[in-house]
Amino acid sequence: MNAPLTTIILAAGKGTRMKSDLPKVLHPLAGKPMISHVLDSAGQLGPERICVVYGHGGEALPQSINRGDLVWVLQEPQLGTGHAVQQAVPHLDMTGVCLILYGDVPLIRSETLQEMVLIAREGAIALLTVKLADPAGYGRIVRGAGGRVERIVEHKDASAEELAIQEVNTGILCMPAAKLAGWLAQLGNDNAQGEYYLTDVIGMAAEEGERILPCHPASEWEVMGVNSRAQLAELERRHQRNTADALMTAGVTLIDPARLDVRGSLDCGRDVLIDANCVFEGRVVLGDKTVVGANCVLKDVEVGTGVTIKPFCHIDGARIGAGAIIGPYARIRPGTELAEEAHVGNFVELKNAQVGFNSKINHLSYVGDATVGRKVNIGAGTITCNYDGANKHRTVIEDEAFIGSDTQLVAPVTVGKGATLGAGTTLTKDAPAGELTLSRAKQLTIPGWKRPVKKSK
Ligand code: UD1
Ligand code: CA
């Protein structure tokens, strides 16, 4: 049986450079808090327990993450990374191993961590390090005879010689829990920052002859931390690029992989094409051969096969049937379901509307709280008046009805099968099936009427 794993995520720090009221680790990356990315990677390792050390920003962090399976450990005041881990010691399973992560290093991959957990389960210490062209600010890895790791020296405590070392401490490490707890108890704060450094544990371990095995991430971005909004934006782009690469590998055409934003999950069928500047939020599914035009925003949408979504559409909480054509400039709001081959054109807003097979709403309309049958044609400028100021009412338009342009349907109201409404009708009573219904003032011509003319000066 594997030794139990306790994961500790450090997230008590201040994040001064974000200049924000929001705790740093709650700043979103790809639409969810940075720390949620870390929790996802941590969760994939199947830990017995995840402890999050929080402090700065108070209860905002546990409240907004709101997960019953986490152990929240308050660090108050914040006296350094070693002190932070000490606060979680009572929650360690001393028979197992402990992995330490940072809440502000969001793109760490679980594959990298898995390797470290294996090392710790064999009794050694896994230390994640990386060689940087510019190591400024980081703790440096000091190696001795035979390349053995001897200790970590913080930038502010380093000699000129040590500052030249390019291998740095990422902060992520994994080791047997009991040993960690023992060394933590011996930490002092006699250093340049007057803090309890977690990194001093490495020096103690080396002195006791422990095996310290440096591990390395597959890519630098895995271990990049976020201290500023600029760094957050950089990692956001990196993450989006990774998502874009994965989509292309899976067979999706992206006109410009640098101009794609997925803030949730995006599942695509075969031969999907996505044009530039599209944003996908929540859970989006695109069927085979679907085309999404430029500048669309799709949130929680299920799109069938062979759908064409033209540029500048905003679609939220909807199901789109196969072969439908939408946009440009359509707004589709929650509760809407378009059946196969429905057409929704420019400047059309749909809300909680069920639109049947091959029905067309092509121009400048509002259709809300409505049931629209098959092969219905809704003319330009049609409005369902669904709201009386207090209650919402439904409009029903049955199969093959034809709604003339500039019509208002004052709900609750039903248009019968095959009925025709004349242009300009304000429908307040049901329109019978198969008949022409219209409400229209009689057309009138006043013979000899003269338009007023301006007096000449
Ligand atoms: C730390 C490491 C350094 C490493 C660098 C990588 C130490 C002493 N130094 O330095 O070797 O190169 O990370 O980024 O460990 N935190 C707390 N409580 C505290 C202090 C920090 O929870 O009292 C958390 C922070 O929220 C953050 C993480 O620990 O997530 C690292 O803290 P930070 O102040 O950024 O550490 P550095 O001084 O940069
Ligand atoms: Ca840092």
Side-chain angles (χ1 to χ4, degrees):
M1 222 192 76
N2 279 334
L5 167 65
T6 307
T7 298
I8 299 174
I9 300 177
L10 301 189
K14 199 160 175 198
T16 314
R17 279 193 281 156
M18 297 299 280
K19 301 203 170 101
S20 176
D21 292 338
L22 192 67
K24 178 164 76 174
V25 297
L26 287 181
H27 280 257
L29 187 145
K32 70 179 178 188
M34 255 190 267
I35 194 171
S36 298
H37 292 266
V38 182
L39 287 166
D40 286 351
S41 289
Q44 282 170 36
L45 305 171
E48 261 57 37
R49 179 173 293 172
I50 299 179
C51 302
V52 183
V53 180
Y54 72 107
H56 195 82
E59 298 306 311
L61 180 54
Q63 273 165 13
S64 71
I65 295 300
N66 190 25
R67 261 176 57 169
D69 60 332
L70 304 175
V71 177
W72 293 95
V73 180
L74 181 65
Q75 184 201 14
E76 184 59 63
Q78 292 98 45
L79 303 177
T81 51
H83 178 255
V85 177
Q86 271 169 359
Q87 310 311 302
V89 164
H91 304 284
L92 286 182
D93 182 332
M94 294 304 171
T95 67
V97 300
C98 175
L99 171 69
I100 293 168
L101 302 175
Y102 286 7
D104 57 1
V105 179
L107 300 188
I108 187 70
R109 293 178 325 127
S110 58
E111 291 84 349
T112 303
L113 300 175
Q114 190 65 62
E115 186 193 321
M116 299 177 69
V117 172
L118 282 178
I119 290 171
R121 281 185 171 141
E122 281 161 12
I125 295 167
L127 183 65
L128 194 63
T129 77
V130 68
K131 244 189 182 158
L132 295 182
D134 176 15
Y138 289 90
R140 308 298 206 280
I141 307 295
V142 180
R143 292 186 185 240
R148 282 213 322 275
V149 173
E150 280 185 345
R151 59 195 171 88
I152 299 173
V153 61
E154 290 306 297
H155 183 105
K156 286 182 180 154
D157 300 285
S159 65
E161 204 179 313
E162 289 163 340
L163 287 175
I165 299 172
Q166 284 185 309
E167 187 184 8
V168 306
N169 172 35
T170 66
I172 294 173
L173 49 83
C174 191
M175 67 178 80
K179 288 179 183 169
L180 173 65
W183 292 317
L184 284 173
Q186 300 169 44
L187 283 183
N189 64 350
D190 181 17
N191 53 52
Q193 304 181 75
E195 287 182 3
Y196 295 89
Y197 290 166
L198 175 61
T199 44
D200 286 349
V201 159
I202 297 300
M204 296 177 190
E207 236 163 66
E208 291 179 21
E210 296 285 342
R211 276 196 310 143
I212 302 169
L213 302 182
C215 301
H216 311 293
S219 316
E220 223 177 79
W221 49 256
E222 272 192 66
V223 297
M224 298 317 292
V226 172
N227 293 309
S228 65
R229 298 199 192 233
Q231 288 169 342
L232 177 58
E234 217 172 286
L235 285 192
E236 173 81 33
R237 285 337 304 162
R238 183 64 253 177
H239 175 80
Q240 294 298 347
R241 181 66 210 212
N242 294 345
T243 304
D245 288 345
L247 285 168
M248 292 189 291
T249 301
V252 176
T253 297
L254 299 175
I255 297 300
D256 184 355
R259 285 183 291 166
L260 171 81
D261 286 89
V262 180
R263 300 174 192 152
S265 70
L266 174 60
D267 290 319
C268 294
R270 284 180 83 79
D271 293 309
V272 166
L273 184 150
I274 300 172
D275 207 336
N277 286 329
C278 290
V279 178
F280 298 91
E281 298 176 335
R283 182 177 171 273
V284 176
V285 179
L286 302 177
D288 297 350
K289 295 189 170 62
T290 279
V291 174
V292 182
N295 300 298
C296 288
V297 177
L298 273 63
K299 180 182 178 197
D300 296 321
V301 186
E302 249 177 72
V303 178
T305 301
V307 170
T308 302
I309 301 172
K310 294 177 181 175
F312 296 99
C313 290
H314 189 280
I315 308 179
D316 178 6
R319 287 232 302 266
I320 313 292
I325 302 175
I326 299 170
Y329 300 101
R331 180 174 184 210
I332 300 186
R333 293 169 52 198
T336 297
E337 288 180 29
L338 300 187
E340 291 73 31
E341 292 173 46
H343 293 189
V344 174
N346 39 231
F347 306 107
V348 171
E349 176 181 351
L350 302 182
K351 193 243 351 185
N352 189 23
Q354 291 78 53
V355 178
F357 169 77
N358 200 218
S359 288
K360 300 183 170 105
I361 313 171
N362 275 334
H363 325 271
L364 297 154
S365 291
Y366 172 65
V367 176
D369 300 311
T371 306
V372 177
R374 298 162 59 88
K375 291 185 170 289
V376 168
N377 194 311
I378 295 185
T382 296
I383 292 171
T384 55
C385 309
N386 58 326
Y387 186 52
D388 60 14
N391 305 297
K392 300 273 170 68
H393 301 283
R394 284 198 79 78
T395 298
V396 176
I397 303 173
E398 292 179 354
D399 298 350
E400 287 152 40
F402 182 99
I403 311 297
S405 296
D406 191 29
T407 292
Q408 300 94 52
L409 300 135
V410 183
V413 75
T414 297
V415 178
K417 182 172 182 199
T420 302
L421 299 190
T425 292
T426 300
L427 192 74
T428 52
K429 288 179 290 207
D430 293 354
E435 308 285 357
L436 169 66
T437 299
L438 52 87
S439 75
R440 193 182 282 175
K442 276 244 157 54
Q443 187 164 317
L444 185 74
T445 302
I446 299 172
W449 180 83
K450 287 279 181 298
R451 204 185 292 165
V453 285
K454 284 186 184 165
K455 286 195 187 101
S456 54
K457 283 175 193 157

